[in-house]
Amino acid sequence: MREQSRRRKAIAAITTTGVVLALGMSFTSAAGAAPASTSAASAVPGNLKLIKTKTSLLGKHYWYQQTFKGLPVVGGYYAQHVDKSGKVQITDGRDAVPANLDVSAKVAPATATKSANTAVTARAARSRTTGGKDATPVPAAATGAAQLAVLGGPNAKLVWNVTSRSTEGVSRSLVDAKTGTVVESKVISDNIDGTGSVFDPNPVVTLKNEDLTDQDDKNQNALFLAQKNVILRNLDGSGKLNGTYVNIAEAKGGVAVNKNNHFVYQRANDKFEQVMAYYQVNQTQEYIHSLGFSDVNSESQDFSINTFEGDNSFYDPSTDVITMGEGGVDDAEDAEVIWHEYGHAIQDDVVPGFGESEQAGAIGEGFGDYWAVQQSIPVSKGYDIPCVMDWDATSYTDGPKHCLRRTDTGKTTDDIDGEVHDDGEIWSNALWDIQKALGRNKANKVILQGTFFYAPDTSFADAARVTVQSARLLYGKAAAAQVTTAFKARKIL
Ligand SMILES: [Ca+2]
Ligand SMILES: [Ca+2]
Ligand SMILES: [Ca+2]
Ligand SMILES: [Ca+2]
Ligand SMILES: [Zn+2]
């Protein structure tokens, strides 16, 4: 590893004639003096390449990249700060490089890139919040661009500088260009905020208007009024909608890119749905973390947006990708569709291979519906919360109310018909009643905690029992009794 301390850093003030005056000389001492020409930096040592000129209140600042035989020296910099009188102050961060360092690479750039990406992927896997998750695939670091560079200092060497992206963000790796060894690899991006515009949860709920229609994805004044401007948190700074919890991996018309992380579109623009998926999944994952869970699909979940023509969306456990369809109302225009699909991703993450029986499948659908409506609670001002996918459903329900399904149908196990979405309404009603009895946060803690004990082919009754047990262990007998009552009402227990 490189150490900061071995770098020679010197700050000196010199005159324009190059005579060193004094260390730490005040930059403002010449204030009031007649301004001299600052149109160019004064003479600099050799092997420097001017990379940036900045203007401040007090003068100009010339930044140089240190070079060696034309190659950049990693981290080697030199700056001249020229005040208005022409007085120059130097910041010298150059590293020593032996004059005889050989700059012909033995390792091919593709080989170096592969080694770097392997190191980045391994670190990203280790950095997941808890251990024991080795079976879960971590997206491999994307192929980066390899550039030849020189690493200065006592162990000066020729390196390939490789930039790659992983779940941790953007990494820079230095690979020895003679031996192929990865010398250093570190994350260089910070999670940053962007801006976007979304429906939250959807226009029907926001405007309390059941008469809205899709009109073939046209912009409409009413729908514009339902948009709200939001902060997009946890972005990786790449200028794409990729962050700690969400990655828009694929999208009809291409993924949104903005170097200032500004993603404001209207609904007729297919990129609007990309922003919806990013924002709404980040919201629900931040909420999950706020409940204390650090390992519930706590990864950059891949999405494919508007890439399915039918009026359906789905989670594919074989690739861990959520695909949002564009039939009728674009599915990702309704946050409740996004949250429903994310519910499947949550269960697949917590219980490998979940959904191996009809009742487990129904629990999957019921949980997705429940997760959608509970996530809607804070943004719905009480508007018919148990109605699932109020906006998407305007395309295929007659009204006056538009709900794909509900979480308060009153169904019991007497109503089982063997279709997972239908039977999911039995389960979602139980979860809804737990939410009413315990309150949203307590109920969600109990329900998520219970999920960790599900078998992949669980029955309603077994899943109910571990949920009751979780309530007892987290909140005691009284809470467990309330949860039992909710399951008994559905004839599950
Ligand atoms: Ca749209
Ligand atoms: Ca996942
Ligand atoms: Ca749709
Ligand atoms: Ca709703
Ligand atoms: Zn589903």
Side-chain angles (χ1 to χ4, degrees):
M1 295 292 280
R2 305 183 69 220
E3 286 166 25
Q4 203 62 17
S5 57
R6 67 177 170 71
R7 173 176 294 153
R8 293 181 295 109
K9 276 200 178 110
I11 296 181
I14 60 172
T15 66
T16 47
T17 54
V19 179
V20 175
L21 291 179
L23 286 167
M25 182 183 186
S26 169
F27 191 39
T28 57
S29 61
S37 166
T38 55
S39 59
S42 48
V44 295
N47 295 325
L48 290 178
K49 183 183 166 201
L50 183 67
I51 51 169
K52 195 173 249 183
T53 305
K54 303 291 289 178
T55 303
S56 70
L57 296 179
L58 297 173
K60 293 228 175 203
H61 309 265
Y62 301 89
W63 285 92
Y64 296 86
Q65 167 70 56
Q66 182 188 0
T67 62
F68 179 79
K69 295 182 182 172
L71 297 173
V73 176
V74 179
Y77 62 86
Y78 185 91
Q80 276 193 341
H81 310 279
V82 184
D83 77 7
K84 288 175 181 171
S85 73
K87 200 157 280 158
V88 175
Q89 183 174 306
I90 302 293
T91 307
D92 189 350
R94 288 176 294 165
D95 285 335
V97 180
N100 63 353
L101 185 77
D102 178 16
V103 294
S104 54
K106 293 241 180 340
V107 174
T111 309
T113 300
K114 212 171 151 188
S115 305
N117 286 346
T118 301
V120 168
T121 301
R123 190 188 52 234
R126 281 197 304 274
S127 76
R128 287 174 60 104
T129 44
T130 57
K133 299 281 294 188
D134 307 291
T136 307
V138 173
T143 302
Q147 289 177 329
L148 209 51
V150 168
L151 188 56
N155 300 308
K157 49 175 69 75
L158 185 71
V159 293
W160 286 105
N161 183 342
V162 183
T163 306
S164 40
R165 282 157 49 101
S166 71
T167 51
E168 292 182 297
V170 180
S171 293
R172 186 193 73 189
S173 307
L174 302 178
V175 181
D176 192 317
K178 299 287 185 195
T179 66
T181 308
V182 178
V183 180
E184 172 192 299
S185 180
K186 66 178 180 185
V187 177
I188 57 171
S189 60
D190 290 318
N191 285 341
I192 61 150
D193 290 347
T195 48
S197 183
V198 297
F199 295 145
D200 196 18
N202 62 52
V204 170
V205 169
T206 302
L207 303 172
K208 299 183 169 38
N209 183 349
E210 298 283 345
D211 299 325
L212 298 169
T213 54
D214 181 40
Q215 295 176 31
D216 210 11
D217 210 14
K218 275 197 197 54
N219 287 333
Q220 302 170 39
N221 289 339
L223 297 180
F224 184 63
L225 292 175
Q227 287 190 219
K228 83 173 186 187
N229 293 327
V230 294
I231 303 293
L232 303 173
R233 286 187 292 271
N234 298 317
L235 286 164
D236 70 2
S238 63
K240 296 181 181 173
L241 290 165
N242 186 10
T244 312
Y245 305 132
V246 195
N247 176 33
I248 306 302
E250 185 184 32
K252 182 184 178 185
V255 299
V257 181
N258 183 284
K259 66 177 168 43
N260 299 316
N261 299 288
H262 185 64
F263 300 98
V264 175
Y265 312 103
Q266 284 196 62
R267 53 102 56 170
N269 187 327
D270 285 337
K271 293 185 171 64
F272 179 79
E273 286 81 57
Q274 299 182 36
V275 181
M276 279 290 291
Y278 185 89
Y279 176 75
Q280 299 297 2
V281 169
N282 183 72
Q283 289 301 101
T284 203
Q285 190 53 248
E286 285 186 357
Y287 172 63
I288 290 168
H289 278 256
S290 78
L291 296 176
F293 292 97
S294 58
D295 197 15
V296 173
N297 203 34
S298 184
E299 62 181 6
S300 191
Q301 177 65 52
D302 283 341
F303 272 80
S304 177
I305 306 289
N306 292 331
T307 51
F308 183 72
E309 282 187 24
D311 196 352
N312 206 353
S313 295
F314 47 88
Y315 170 72
D316 178 354
S318 71
T319 55
D320 195 9
V321 175
I322 292 173
T323 298
M324 304 298 300
E326 57 165 0
V329 169
D330 294 336
D331 284 9
E333 282 193 20
D334 192 330
E336 294 184 346
V337 186
I338 297 167
W339 292 325
H340 173 96
E341 297 307 330
Y342 195 70
H344 289 300
I346 285 174
Q347 291 194 317
D348 185 62
D349 180 72
V350 173
V351 186
F354 185 74
E356 288 294 317
S357 61
E358 197 274 330
Q359 290 196 357
I363 287 171
E365 299 308 331
F367 173 74
D369 285 354
Y370 168 74
W371 197 255
V373 300
Q374 73 72 26
Q375 192 64 39
S376 270
I377 291 173
V379 288
S380 295
K381 300 194 177 96
Y383 184 78
D384 198 13
I385 306 286
C387 171
V388 181
M389 307 181 195
D390 324 59
W391 172 225
D392 189 62
T394 60
S395 301
Y396 45 77
T397 55
D398 291 334
K401 287 291 306 174
H402 303 283
C403 315
L404 171 61
R405 289 181 292 274
R406 299 189 63 91
T407 61
D408 61 354
T409 56
K411 283 184 184 177
T412 70
T413 51
D414 292 343
D415 300 303
I416 286 178
D417 70 4
E419 201 286 321
V420 289
H421 298 89
D422 292 348
D423 296 344
E425 286 188 316
I426 302 165
W427 187 256
S428 69
N429 199 337
L431 301 186
W432 180 243
D433 289 345
I434 294 169
Q435 190 276 138
K436 283 197 293 186
L438 298 183
R440 179 177 179 239
N441 293 347
K442 271 189 177 180
N444 288 336
K445 281 194 196 183
V446 165
I447 291 162
L448 288 175
Q449 181 57 55
T451 305
F452 281 85
F453 295 102
Y454 289 1
D457 57 350
T458 187
S459 64
F460 279 164
D462 283 346
R465 277 190 276 273
V466 293
T467 307
V468 171
Q469 183 193 27
S470 296
R472 186 166 49 76
L473 293 173
L474 289 172
Y475 297 113
K477 275 185 182 167
Q482 287 174 294
V483 173
T484 301
T485 300
F487 285 119
K488 281 194 165 153
R490 307 274 69 81
K491 301 189 181 178
I492 287 171
L493 287 178

